[in-house]
Amino acid sequence: MDSLQQRSSTVQEPPGAALAYRPTPPPAWQPRTDPAPLLPDAEPLRVLGTDAVADADPELLRRLYAELVRGRRYNAQATALTKQGRLAVYPSTTGQEACEVAAALALEERDWLFPSYRDTLAAVARGLDPVQALTLLRGDWHTGYDPHEHRIAPLCTPLATQLPHAVGLAHAARLKGDDVVALAMVGDGGTSEGDFHEALNFAAVWQAPVVFFVQNNGFAISVPLAKQTAAPSLAHKAVGYGMPGRLVDGNDAVAVHQVLTEAVTRARRGGGPTLVEAITYRIDAHTNADDATRYRGDSEVETWRAHDPILLLERELTERGLLDEDGRREAAEAAETMAAALRERMNADPVLDPMDLFAHVYAEKTAQLREQAEQLRAELDAESEAG
Amino acid sequence: MTTHTTARPAAKAAAKPATMAQALQRAMRDAMAEDPTVHVLGEDVGTLGGVFRVTDGLAKEFGEDRCTDTPLAEAGILGTAVGMAMYGLRPVVEMQFDAFAYPAFEQLISHVSRMRNRTRGAMPMPIVVRVPYGGGIGGVEHHSDSSEAYYMATPGLHVVTPATVEDAYGLLRAAIASDDPVIFLEPKRLYWSKSDWSPEAPAAVEPIGKAVVRRRGTSATLITYGPSVPVCMEAAEAARAEGWDLEVVDLRSLVPFDDETVSASVKRTGRAVVVHESTGFGGPGGEIAARVTERCFHHLEAPVLRVAGFDIPYPPPMLERHHLPGVDRVLDAVARLQWEAGS
């Protein structure tokens, strides 16, 4: 220790004394943007149970309520269809309906929605035929609808890979002079994927009119958020890209709708992208094939049941005199009618044409595909002859 | 698809040698001038004009919105191109080097190749992915891969590779015009190969999916593409001294595969060698040899042989000449075509 100190003292010289050459100081470093306005608030935004509800349009509140009730029934019906073998799989959003519904209602007709495989309900709330929305999960085709019709991209099964699509579409729309916004949905697990990073980075650099909407439901199948990220929150990630991050209570339909609408409006006016994280919870298992009891306890689920999005809104509306017994029954009946129609239509076997296998691989079939189509045609003919 | 020609207004007959890089650049410029939905994007394609200068001048001429320097992220480049295509644009994406395209594979395989199919034709993907590929330029690791077999194995993609200056123009024009995604493999060691093709004169758009016979012959067919085409042409000249009159078929398109031209040639000559740089095991040659055998078995005088790169990771530049199939290795294979049953 002594010798070290000695040695260092021998090389120490008075500042500047023996320097014949003075290096030019580098340019002073400046942060590119003040990170403070980009940071999310410490607490997720809540509107229900606060005075802020008074500012909300009663018509919107009633509509949100009806959609939540319908959404809950849709989740239950679709889950029942998996038990009857009518759906191969259904990733439920029970408990997350506020996020799904608000995402759909925050968009204008000309905007685009980029759902993940779990976001069937958002697509339905946007107006898509429930049966068309379930085609992927039933297994009769990979996408049951024309994405241009409702401006809903195909439900995306790989994680986060639809986020760059949303950026590209929003960017292209802006280049064409259209004030179109893309809203891209992803789960907490999806934020770990490389495409999440690349999409956010592209969007911020291009100032593309995109809203990234993370539904943090606590688990990526079985892996809890603590094992997914070390970030203070997923919304904090926004700061690193140079876009605002917003935290919202994902079970507060009014708050989610408000935050998403603000982000969409900001994007539409040329303000660039926003990352919104909604804190919510998946009440059901990942899918019908998952056993959630292996990774979480009943008490945790019960805590979240008490913070149910429908309960929260129903209580608020009732207190404010916007909802009575008749209104509740009306919403429940409308949901039941939807479920009955869905059940009936899903009980019919879909009519499939095997020749479709070759119809859309390329704009024009290659010679090889023409040969293979002929082979299948012959096999089908032989089958039908054999009865 | 029919072959047609386009003329630039200021066309002059003065023919001066043009390079493949210039032909590719003109193809993009002509396409961008004719169609405002054509956008070029990638790392360094704007101000720098690409590390091979293939996009030189496009940003200046068409603006940064049409020829865009992107962040350095291949999945992001291709992923945003998917969204642009969804909104009606025709993105032409540059992947700077063959091995740099790998991060974009998920976008390519999970989305670009199957979006049309997934949406029953509602969402075509008119995207061109330009990939400078192959070795022979002394590139360090990750700069010389021949990745065509990966692309060929993915339904929904077209895989195209020119070998001449003329084809570089004609095939890239067709690729940009295609409503389906095209992996456009540019043999980087041919970027500076020249031709009397004039950058000003009218130029043909070549249909995708048609092979051409580069050299007529009677003794055997060399089936090849991209950077191996000049090797085979040289081998065919050299083989004359041995009494072999070789036919050379340049595939130009690996997907769709032109069985007709290839089979017709092999039926005429009775012998075939497939030549490419990519590894032999699991490589394109195995598929091609199988197709030829299935179609021409009774015409074959010898097994279909393959001359390919060794089954090794692409070697360091100081050893690459030992790996790349050269004229001698092609001629050795041709000699082995004097095959006798039971030998």
Side-chain angles (χ1 to χ4, degrees), chain A residues 161 165 178 198 362-363 368, chain B residues 76 87 107 111 157 180 257 259:
Chain A
T161 51
H165 305 171
D178 300 341
E198 296 192 21
Y362 298 98
Q368 291 77 24
Chain B
Y87 207 76
Q107 283 294 340
H111 294 299
L157 302 176
D180 285 320
F257 189 82
D259 283 306

Side-chain angles (χ1 to χ4, degrees), chain A residues 112 141 143 146-148 156 158 161 164-165 168-169 172-173 175-176 178 180 195 198 202 356 360 362-363 368 371, chain B residues 65 73 75-77 79-80 83-84 86-87 89 106-107 111 116-118 120 122 156-158 180 255 257 259 291:
Chain A
W112 274 77
W141 201 256
T143 302
D146 177 351
H148 296 281
C156 187
T161 51
H165 305 171
L169 180 134
L175 290 179
K176 281 194 175 180
D178 300 341
V180 165
D195 281 76
E198 296 192 21
F202 271 66
D356 274 0
H360 304 293
Y362 298 98
Q368 291 77 24
E371 270 176 33
Chain B
D65 283 347
I77 295 168
T80 49
M84 291 165 77
M86 284 177 169
Y87 207 76
L89 300 184
E106 186 182 12
Q107 283 294 340
H111 294 299
R116 170 188 288 281
N117 188 253
R118 170 184 295 149
R120 297 185 198 243
L157 302 176
H158 289 306
D180 285 320
V255 183
F257 189 82
D259 283 306
R291 302 190 79 82

Side-chain angles (χ1 to χ4, degrees), chain A residues 300-372:
Chain A
E300 181 182 304
V301 182
E302 288 315 309
T303 311
W304 278 95
R305 278 192 202 279
H307 192 63
D308 183 88
I310 300 180
L311 271 183
L312 293 181
L313 187 58
E314 196 171 86
R315 203 180 295 149
E316 183 82 49
L317 292 182
T318 309
E319 271 178 33
R320 292 190 182 262
L322 294 169
L323 185 72
D324 56 13
E325 195 49 49
D326 284 350
R328 269 194 291 273
R329 197 178 50 243
E330 210 174 287
E333 280 171 6
E336 205 47 55
T337 308
M338 177 275 304
L342 178 59
R343 205 165 45 232
E344 194 187 319
R345 290 174 67 201
M346 291 295 287
N347 275 334
D349 289 323
V351 181
L352 305 178
D353 181 359
M355 297 313 289
D356 274 0
L357 291 174
F358 303 100
H360 304 293
V361 183
Y362 298 98
E364 251 179 77
K365 282 190 202 72
T366 62
Q368 291 77 24
L369 284 184
R370 281 199 301 273
E371 270 176 33
Q372 291 165 25

Side-chain angles (χ1 to χ4, degrees), chain B residues 129-194:
Chain B
V129 184
R130 293 182 36 244
V131 187
Y133 86 117
I137 63 159
V140 295
E141 196 182 8
H142 303 296
H143 288 70
S144 299
D145 286 14
S146 295
S147 28
E148 57 268 33
Y150 304 141
Y151 301 113
M152 289 170 70
T154 304
L157 302 176
H158 289 306
V159 184
V160 172
T161 175
T164 68
V165 176
E166 290 80 355
D167 274 1
Y169 179 88
L171 291 172
L172 185 53
R173 286 303 307 271
I176 296 171
S178 168
D179 284 335
D180 285 320
V182 180
I183 306 299
F184 197 84
L185 298 167
E186 299 173 1
K188 62 175 93 73
R189 74 172 134 124
L190 300 183
Y191 270 147
W192 303 280
S193 64
K194 290 185 178 175

Side-chain angles (χ1 to χ4, degrees), chain A residues 97-184:
Chain A
E97 291 93 343
C99 296
E100 298 285 310
V101 163
L105 299 191
L107 296 177
E108 302 283 341
E109 207 178 312
R110 62 188 177 285
D111 297 332
W112 274 77
L113 182 74
F114 285 79
S116 81
Y117 62 89
R118 192 179 293 287
D119 303 312
T120 329
L121 184 53
V124 171
R126 188 162 165 72
L128 186 62
D129 174 353
V131 173
Q132 289 187 339
L134 288 171
T135 303
L136 169 78
L137 302 165
R138 176 159 68 176
D140 46 323
W141 201 256
H142 301 311
T143 302
Y145 53 93
D146 177 351
H148 296 281
E149 198 182 324
H150 293 279
R151 284 151 304 281
I152 301 169
L155 296 168
C156 187
T157 313
L159 292 187
T161 51
Q162 83 279 22
L163 305 184
H165 305 171
V167 178
L169 180 134
H171 176 65
R174 201 164 67 124
L175 290 179
K176 281 194 175 180
D178 300 341
D179 66 343
V180 165
V181 177
L183 190 152

Side-chain angles (χ1 to χ4, degrees), chain A residues 4 42 62 72 115 157 171 181 248 274 288 331 339:
Chain A
L4 267 177
R62 285 199 197 94
R72 174 67 48 90
T157 313
H171 176 65
V181 177
V248 62
T274 305
N288 47 304

